Amino acid sequence: MDLGTVLCMILLAPLVSAGLIWMFARQRAVLAMTLSLGAAGIILLCSLWLFFGKWDGTSFEITTEWMALGNLHLNVGFLLNELSALMLFIVAFVGFWIHLFSVGYMHDDDARGRFFGGMSIFMFSMLGIVLADNLFMMFIFWELVGFSSYMLIGHYLTSDVAAQASKKAFIVNRVGDFGFLVGIIITYWTFGTVNLTELREVVEANPESVTTMIGLLLFCGVLGKSAQMPLHVWLPDAMAGPTPVSALIHAATMVAAGVYFLGRSFFLFTEQALHVVAWVGVVTAVCAAIWAFGQRDIKKILAYSTLSQLGYMVAGFGLGSLYGLHHGDGHTALYYGIGASMFHLTTHAFFKALLFLGSGSVIHACHHEQDIFKMGGLLKKMPFTGVTFGLGVIAIAGIPFISAGFFSKDAILYVAKATNTPAFIILAGTALLTALYMGRLFVITFLGKPNSEAAEHAKESSWTIVLPLVVLAVFSIGGGYMALYPYAIREVMANWVPQPHGTDHTLMIGISAVASLLGLVLALIIYGVGSKTDKLETTLPLVYAISKSRFYFDEVYGYYVKKVQDRLAAIVDFLDTLLISGVMVRGAAAVAGLLGIAARRMHTGSVATYVWWFFAGLVLFGAYAGGFLDGIIR
C-alpha cells in the first residue's frame, strides 16, 4: 500500500466503526466495544507500521479539491511530517490503551454502545486535525472534536451536572473558535491560501506580511481548546463525563490540539504575539496549580493539574520560539518553541493519561466515590493501581533522571531562564506547587487507613483496567529517553528540543530536584498519610478559601450571563416577537387576510353586480391607458 492509502485507513477506520455502531450496535454493547477497540487497534498498527518501515521521515503531502465557491477552493488532504507523525503516535498509542481500559471500566454501563460510538467519532475528529494539510480542513475537524467532546461529556443522560458541563464546554469553546475562524479568514484574505505548506513558503519569502493580529486571532482557538485563561472554566466541569473520556479528551489528545496547532502554524506568529502566548501560558500554569489545592474530588485535582501543564506547554512554545529568535542559530532555532512544547505534550500524554486512568480504577473500586478524604489505605487494597499511580506522580513531579516529566520541564525552564527571568521564576515555583498538590493527592488517597466503607472494601481492578496502567507507567518513567520512540520521531525530539548545557544543565537539575523532592516531602509532612480532613483548610482557612474560589472566574461569568447576556437576549426576543413575528409576519398576514375578506365580499353571486365591476374595471383601464392616472401614480 502507498502512504496515502495507509493514512486514509488510519483516518477512516474510526469513522467506519462509528457508522457501524450507529446502525447496528447501539443496543449491542459487546459488538460496539469490539468495533471501537478494533478501530483503535487498526490505527495503532497502521501508525507503527508507518513509523517502523513505510515512512522514511521525509515530508509527505497529498491534497484534492473538495468544492469550489467562486474563487474559493476548499481542499482536503494530508500533511505528514515530523510534527504530525509525533502527534499521530501519541493519539494512536494512548488512544488504544484508553479504549482497552474502557472495556473494563464501562462494563456495567447500559449505554456502552453509545459511549464507544462517541469514542470512535472523537478519534476520527482528532486524527483529522492531526493530518489536515490546510486551515479550513483543520477547522472542520476542530468543530467535530468539539461536538464529540460535547457528546461524551454528557454521556450520563440522567445527570444534570453532566448536561450542564457538556453545554458549558461547547459554548466556551465556541467563543474561542469564533476568533479562530476570523483568523483563518483573514489569513486567507492576506495570503490567498490556507494550505500550511504554501503559507510557510509565502511567509518565509515575505516575513513582513505576517501581522500580530493574525497570530492572536488564531490563538483564540488555542485559548478554548487547550483551556487557557480566560477560557479555562470548562475543563474542570468536564470531569462530569466518564473517566476514560477525561483521560482521552481532557488529558492526552483534545486539549493538546491547541498546542499542536501552535506548532503547525508557528510561522504565523510575530514576536509580539509570542510574548502574549508565553504570558498566557505562564499565568494559566501558576493559577491552576494554586486552584488545585482547593479541590477534594480526585478528578477535579487532576483537571486543574491538566490546566497547569497545558499552561506549561503554551509557555514553552512562546518562550522557546522567542529563545530561538534571540539565542538560536541556523534552521533548528525555528523549532525550539515547537520542541519544548511538544516534548512536554508527549510526556504529559503518558503520565496524565496514567493518572486519570488510575483515578478511574480507584473510583471504580470505591463504588464511584471521588472524594479523596473518603479514601485512604488503597495502596494495600490495590497494589498495581497504587504503584502505577505513584509512578505517574513521580513523572509529573519531575524527579531528575527517573521520570519523563523532568526532561520535558527541564527544556521549558531552560528557555524560560534564557528568555524571561520573571517567567522562569514563576514556572519554577509552579513546579514546586505541582509536586506538592500531587503528593497531597497520593498520600491522602493511597497511604494510611481506609476512611470510608467504600475504601475498606476496595479491591484491585480487572486486567483490562490494570494492563493500560502498567504500559503507560513504563512510558511515564522512560518517556524522556529517546530510545522508546520510533526513529523518525526520535530524530525530531533530539534535534528540536533545546538542550541545557554546562552550568545551565546543572542548575536545571538542581531546580527539578528541589522542586520535586521538596514538594513531595512537604505533602507528606503537611497532610500526613490517609488524612480525613484537609489540613490547609483547618490551619490556613484564608489561603484555602482563595484556592477554592478559583479567583471567582465562574461567578463573574455567571453574573455576566445572568445580568447582561440573558437580559440582552430578552430584549432581542421581545423585538423579535414584536417586529418580526408581530408586525412583519402577523401584520402582513393580517393585511392579506383583510384583502381576502374584501375579495370574498365581491363574490355575491349576482350577475348585475359583476357587470358593474366589469364596467368599473374598463373605466380604470381606459384612464390608465389615456395617461390620466400618471400624476397620481407618480
Side-chain angles (χ1 to χ4, degrees), residues 66-218:
W66 177 31
M67 65 173 67
L69 303 172
N71 294 326
L72 175 62
H73 296 270
L74 299 179
N75 298 331
V76 293
F78 299 137
L79 175 58
L80 182 67
N81 55 16
E82 300 97 331
L83 180 63
S84 55
L86 175 60
M87 194 68 185
L88 177 60
F89 172 74
I90 295 168
V91 174
F93 185 82
V94 177
F96 173 78
W97 293 109
I98 293 175
H99 271 75
L100 181 61
F101 178 91
S102 301
V103 172
Y105 188 84
M106 303 298 292
H107 183 268
D108 297 325
D109 194 300
D110 294 333
R112 276 185 295 168
R114 175 163 50 81
F115 170 83
F116 281 105
M119 293 282 277
S120 290
I121 280 289
F122 172 80
M123 290 291 286
F124 166 70
S125 306
M126 190 65 209
L127 289 168
I129 292 177
V130 172
L131 297 174
D133 73 332
N134 66 82
L135 295 180
F136 279 144
M137 180 179 173
M138 184 174 284
F139 183 78
I140 291 170
F141 283 100
W142 195 273
E143 295 305 298
L144 282 174
V145 162
F147 161 73
S148 54
S149 172
Y150 166 81
M151 181 169 58
L152 288 169
I153 294 171
H155 172 74
Y156 297 123
L157 300 180
T158 58
S159 170
D160 184 62
V161 174
Q164 294 299 324
S166 62
K167 288 191 291 185
K168 186 175 184 179
F170 190 82
I171 293 170
V172 172
N173 271 274
R174 298 294 74 72
V175 174
D177 291 354
F178 175 76
F180 185 38
L181 179 59
V182 173
I184 293 174
I185 293 172
I186 294 178
T187 300
Y188 179 79
W189 184 276
T190 303
F191 301 104
T193 181
V194 290
N195 180 275
L196 293 168
T197 303
E198 294 175 359
L199 277 173
R200 182 171 178 182
E201 291 174 353
V202 172
V203 170
E204 288 181 348
N206 184 18
E208 300 300 323
S209 59
V210 180
T211 64
T212 300
M213 180 180 66
I214 289 177
L216 293 181
L217 284 171
L218 294 175

Side-chain angles (χ1 to χ4, degrees), residues 522-598:
L522 285 177
L524 184 62
I525 295 173
I526 294 173
Y527 291 97
V529 295
S531 299
K532 295 183 179 180
T533 58
D534 193 323
K535 299 293 181 61
L536 183 63
E537 182 179 9
T538 55
T539 57
L540 296 172
L542 179 60
V543 175
Y544 178 81
I546 293 173
S547 174
K548 190 175 181 180
S549 72
R550 299 163 296 178
F551 300 167
Y552 300 103
F553 272 94
D554 287 272
E555 287 75 9
V556 170
Y557 285 148
Y559 180 86
Y560 163 77
V561 170
K562 184 177 180 180
K563 299 297 184 181
V564 179
Q565 184 171 293
D566 285 355
R567 291 181 179 181
L568 181 61
I571 293 173
V572 173
D573 178 65
F574 172 76
L575 293 176
D576 173 72
T577 303
L578 177 65
L579 299 178
I580 307 299
S581 300
V583 175
M584 296 180 65
V585 177
R586 295 181 183 178
V591 172
L594 289 173
L595 293 175
I597 292 172

Side-chain angles (χ1 to χ4, degrees), residues 47 148 190 231 299 419 427 441 595:
S47 300
S148 54
T190 303
L231 299 183
K299 288 177 64 178
T419 306
L427 291 176
L441 171 58
L595 293 175

Side-chain angles (χ1 to χ4, degrees), residues 120-353:
S120 290
I121 280 289
F122 172 80
M123 290 291 286
F124 166 70
S125 306
M126 190 65 209
L127 289 168
I129 292 177
V130 172
L131 297 174
D133 73 332
N134 66 82
L135 295 180
F136 279 144
M137 180 179 173
M138 184 174 284
F139 183 78
I140 291 170
F141 283 100
W142 195 273
E143 295 305 298
L144 282 174
V145 162
F147 161 73
S148 54
S149 172
Y150 166 81
M151 181 169 58
L152 288 169
I153 294 171
H155 172 74
Y156 297 123
L157 300 180
T158 58
S159 170
D160 184 62
V161 174
Q164 294 299 324
S166 62
K167 288 191 291 185
K168 186 175 184 179
F170 190 82
I171 293 170
V172 172
N173 271 274
R174 298 294 74 72
V175 174
D177 291 354
F178 175 76
F180 185 38
L181 179 59
V182 173
I184 293 174
I185 293 172
I186 294 178
T187 300
Y188 179 79
W189 184 276
T190 303
F191 301 104
T193 181
V194 290
N195 180 275
L196 293 168
T197 303
E198 294 175 359
L199 277 173
R200 182 171 178 182
E201 291 174 353
V202 172
V203 170
E204 288 181 348
N206 184 18
E208 300 300 323
S209 59
V210 180
T211 64
T212 300
M213 180 180 66
I214 289 177
L216 293 181
L217 284 171
L218 294 175
F219 185 57
C220 288
V222 180
L223 291 179
K225 201 67 73 187
S226 289
Q228 296 297 286
M229 291 177 68
L231 299 183
H232 63 281
V233 292
W234 67 270
L235 182 59
D237 290 6
M239 297 303 107
T243 301
V245 173
S246 303
L248 180 64
I249 295 180
H250 307 124
T253 56
M254 188 192 93
V255 292
V259 179
Y260 171 72
F261 171 75
L262 290 175
R264 204 71 152 156
S265 60
F266 71 97
F267 45 84
L268 292 173
F269 288 82
T270 64
E271 184 173 351
Q272 292 77 14
L274 289 173
H275 279 288
V276 174
V277 171
W279 276 107
V280 167
V282 169
V283 173
T284 302
V286 67
C287 288
I290 293 171
W291 298 335
F293 288 95
Q295 304 301 314
R296 300 171 62 98
D297 186 313
I298 186 171
K299 288 177 64 178
K300 286 288 185 71
I301 297 170
L302 295 177
Y304 284 106
S305 171
T306 300
L307 280 179
S308 183
Q309 298 305 305
L310 288 169
Y312 247 97
M313 297 174 207
V314 172
F317 172 81
L319 295 169
S321 299
L322 290 170
Y323 174 83
L325 287 174
H326 298 297
H327 300 85
D329 55 342
H331 183 70
T332 306
L334 295 173
Y335 299 100
Y336 280 155
I338 305 174
S341 59
M342 287 300 297
F343 190 19
H344 196 53
L345 185 155
T346 304
T347 60
H348 177 266
F350 297 137
F351 60 68
K352 188 52 65 68

